[in-house]
Amino acid sequence: MAASKQEPVRAKSKTREPSRAIHARIEARFGEGAVALEDAVDPVTLVRDPKQLIEVMSFLKTDPELAFDFLRSVTGTDWPKLGSIESVYHLYSYQTGQAHVVKVRVPRARPDVPSVERLWPTANWFEREAFDLVGIRYLEHSDLRRIMLPEDWIGHPLRKDYVEQPDYHGIGTTRASPLDAFAELDRARRALREARGEAPPPVRTSPITPPEGWVDPKAKKAEAKTKPASKPEAGSDAGDAKGDA
Amino acid sequence: MTNDNSLMAGDEGMVVLSKLDSLINWNRKSSIWYLLFGLACCGIELMQTGGPRTDLDRFGGIPRATPRQADLMIVAGTLTYKMALRAKLLYDQMPEPRYVISMGACATCGGLFQLAYSVCKGVDKIIPVDVYVPGCPPRPEALTEGFMRIQDKMMRERWAAKLSGRVLG
Ligand code: SF4
């Protein structure tokens, strides 16, 4: 997407400048090589090296000016074309009232991200969810099990290349549409008819016939447009006659 | 039952003649205890059906908290695969004869979640269903109708005749 198109939208954003300021503070501490700014309506800090994530996150939590004491959510994003998976952290500070988004990118083949559970205990369930649905492996997580799907589920369903299993414990995962049965019946009937050399049944038409003297209002309107000068009564009578014929 | 249909034996007692099966079924249908089994939004409507307006109690329908005391399972809501195994377990714990109502589009075929990876495409994939109640969610009136169809089904059964060997199958 062209940046120019997004620019007016971004300019209106009230959170853009505060987020940039927060990013600037992180950058000042860790240097440009460690973090990158992803500009958006709500700019995001990308931590380049997953190994540095804990360091950056504890800075975000303990720095007196940032003081992000609340982890709102952890989510995962799958980018098969880029061959990467992102773990996204939404932070909020009750002390300053500010919010910020941090993310880290790991290869799809080895999606290992250090767990932030020791900084924000609430990450325990969030990370289990991201593991369950996207398959991010959080290192040093205290209890990395599936949280919503059954434990014996195969695959991570929010991966873009997820393929559904044909059955789960013998329960089929598809259901035939009842409409297919009707289509099948139609086909069978047609085959039978053709085998017997019968003519196809007449196409059913609407049983409603217009009452006598009825004129299609659309036709009336069109006629009134083409003949604006004629008297209305005479015009409509003529229309009736034509319509009937 | 009025006096016209019964034989009076003196002033002390009254004799009622009926078929044993009709009597048993009449008792059964007047005390259908159903398992509390709300899975999603339909569960709210199930509670409403048990509430004072539609009042399943007047048919003798009383919610039970355990399948071992239940005659009827009303599957009210979206059945996920994770829950499907448990629903089967609950059904297996119910004493025979047992009945199942599939309430709402979700329980019947997966409803609007039928393309989801986690939703079972119909409760009839795991347990036999007696009555399907369509709707999303079905109104309490509709569920009451389904309940009455279960009563009809009960009234047609002939357990005593079967046991005495006079009816096959
Ligand atoms: S059928 Fe409709 S109301 Fe019932 S559980 Fe499904 S979505 Fe909810």
Side-chain angles (χ1 to χ4, degrees), chain A residues 34-238:
Chain A
V35 289
L37 180 78
E38 289 198 351
D39 206 4
V41 171
D42 205 354
V44 174
T45 297
L46 174 76
V47 180
R48 289 192 208 267
D49 185 3
K51 289 197 190 89
Q52 232 183 349
L53 180 73
I54 298 295
E55 219 180 307
V56 175
M57 289 305 224
S58 41
F59 172 69
L60 280 161
K61 188 185 170 187
T62 50
D63 184 66
E65 259 184 51
L66 302 177
F68 285 112
D69 45 13
F70 178 44
L71 179 67
R72 272 181 182 166
S73 85
V74 178
T75 45
T77 333
D78 185 18
W79 300 98
K81 278 189 199 150
L82 304 178
S84 58
I85 281 183
E86 285 167 358
S87 178
V88 186
Y89 304 84
H90 289 245
L91 298 166
Y92 181 77
S93 169
Y94 276 105
Q95 289 166 40
T96 65
Q98 283 187 323
H100 195 55
V101 182
V102 179
K103 61 185 183 183
V104 61
R105 201 171 283 159
V106 285
R108 266 181 122 239
R110 245 187 102 76
D112 295 344
V113 177
S115 167
V116 295
E117 193 194 344
R118 66 181 107 140
L119 296 175
W120 295 280
T122 185
N124 187 321
W125 279 19
F126 285 145
E127 289 179 348
R128 278 177 69 185
E129 183 184 353
F131 162 72
D132 191 357
L133 302 178
V134 194
I136 303 173
R137 273 195 304 256
Y138 289 95
L139 306 175
E140 290 173 51
H141 188 283
S142 64
D143 181 27
L144 195 62
R145 283 178 297 136
R146 288 186 184 274
I147 189 168
M148 289 188 283
L149 293 168
E151 300 227 336
D152 53 359
W153 194 266
I154 298 167
H156 302 282
L158 293 194
R159 289 248 183 140
K160 299 276 191 274
D161 54 2
Y162 174 74
V163 185
E164 210 176 345
Q165 299 290 317
D167 77 316
Y168 175 74
H169 284 264
I171 309 168
T173 54
T174 51
R175 188 182 185 97
S177 162
L179 297 180
D180 291 346
F182 283 115
E184 188 55 43
L185 194 66
D186 267 357
R187 267 195 294 278
R189 280 191 183 139
R190 191 181 309 138
L192 194 66
R193 207 169 53 228
E194 277 162 14
R196 287 181 185 157
E198 286 170 11
V203 178
R204 263 198 264 169
T205 50
S206 163
I208 303 167
T209 47
E212 221 161 286
W214 182 82
V215 190
D216 187 354
K218 274 186 206 156
K220 215 173 184 175
K221 226 183 219 171
E223 197 157 335
K225 260 186 200 166
T226 50
K227 289 191 214 165
S230 67
K231 283 176 202 164
E233 270 182 34
S236 67
D237 278 352

Side-chain angles (χ1 to χ4, degrees), chain B residues 107-122:
Chain B
T108 303
C109 67
L112 71 159
F113 307 111
Q114 60 180 277
L115 297 182
Y117 52 84
S118 56
V119 173
C120 182
K121 280 82 188 161

